[in-house]
Amino acid sequence: MIRSELIQKIADDNPHLYQRDVERIVNTIFEEIIDAMARGDRVELRGFGAFSVKKRDARTGRNPRTGEAVEVEEKHVPFFKTGKLLRDRLNGKTN
């Protein structure tokens, strides 16, 4: 599912809302998650999962084409851990 499909689904399920308002709501939610992660905060959506940022230390890597050693800088990467409810639904377990 892509962002526009999510917006359309929410708009279809809530006919009392204008699509432009639903789009603004969805975009605001995503922006808030991004801003929180940029600050290094953890974002938890109960039953769905938690978004956090992990730090990868600088290291020496290899260029796959030439085999030459290259220095890879330290970086921060997004990390998602699924919640129990999501894991259970993916594995066919219902409560």
Side-chain angles (χ1 to χ4, degrees):
M1 175 177 276
I2 60 175
R3 184 185 302 227
S4 60
E5 292 172 337
L6 175 62
I7 291 167
Q8 189 61 53
K9 173 75 171 130
I10 293 171
D12 291 346
D13 289 351
N14 296 279
H16 61 283
L17 296 174
Y18 291 113
Q19 182 158 345
R20 68 177 180 266
D21 293 335
V22 172
E23 187 171 352
R24 190 175 305 132
I25 291 166
V26 169
N27 289 337
T28 300
I29 291 169
F30 287 151
E31 283 299 318
E32 286 300 316
I33 291 172
I34 291 167
D35 290 346
M37 291 178 67
R39 291 189 307 268
D41 295 340
R42 182 172 184 263
V43 178
E44 182 176 336
L45 304 172
R46 297 278 168 139
F48 183 71
F51 298 91
S52 60
V53 177
K54 290 198 173 192
K55 178 183 161 198
R56 290 202 181 148
D57 293 328
R59 62 183 174 82
T60 302
R62 296 244 172 247
N63 180 330
R65 189 171 292 167
T66 64
E68 178 183 344
V70 290
E71 292 302 314
V72 178
E73 295 180 2
E74 169 187 289
K75 60 183 165 183
H76 294 86
V77 294
F79 179 75
F80 178 74
K81 182 177 180 186
T82 58
K84 184 178 183 323
L85 180 64
L86 176 58
R87 258 193 324 273
D88 288 348
R89 296 234 356 230
L90 292 175
N91 290 304
K93 298 176 186 174
T94 59
N95 289 337

